[in-house]
Amino acid sequence: MYATRALRMMPTRRMMFPVPKEDQTAHTISQRLRKLRQIPAELIPLGVVVTFAVCAAAYSSFRKFAVDKNLRLSRQNRKEEPATHGEGH
């Protein structure tokens, strides 16, 4: 019997050689700041807008939970729970 071609696993040409290391891997803060220069200039305003939107959403959500007195964050006014919860289902 011959082995099927699907089970004959050989590394591809790309996988035979190790991945070349970058000349500067980001280890320190100054090296990370130098890496920021590689970001295209068109993406910086987009990053600022997205960061502002996420911060505004987090602030408004937290403020809603903290200030709104009509919002129920836990169960209230319950009679005593039955001992077995899943009997009626």
Side-chain angles (χ1 to χ4, degrees):
M1 294 222 129
Y2 296 104
T4 60
R5 293 224 177 235
L7 296 178
R8 210 177 87 195
M9 301 179 77
M10 296 175 59
T12 60
R13 181 171 295 276
R14 185 176 68 176
M15 299 301 285
M16 284 185 188
F17 303 106
V19 177
K21 289 191 174 187
E22 293 181 4
D23 54 339
Q24 286 186 346
T25 54
H27 291 292
T28 63
I29 293 174
S30 62
Q31 286 178 339
R32 288 176 194 251
L33 290 176
R34 274 187 243 137
K35 286 275 191 185
L36 287 177
R37 292 184 189 155
Q38 295 177 356
I39 297 174
E42 299 86 18
L43 294 181
I44 293 175
L46 179 66
V48 170
V49 169
V50 169
T51 302
F52 176 76
V54 168
C55 291
Y59 171 76
S60 62
S61 296
F62 180 74
R63 189 170 187 281
K64 176 75 173 176
F65 292 144
V67 173
D68 191 9
K69 300 297 180 194
N70 293 329
L71 187 66
R72 284 181 39 182
L73 297 176
S74 61
R75 294 182 179 181
Q76 299 169 350
N77 300 332
R78 294 185 303 167
K79 294 183 179 178
E80 197 164 319
E81 284 189 35
T84 57
H85 179 67
E87 279 186 10
H89 298 283

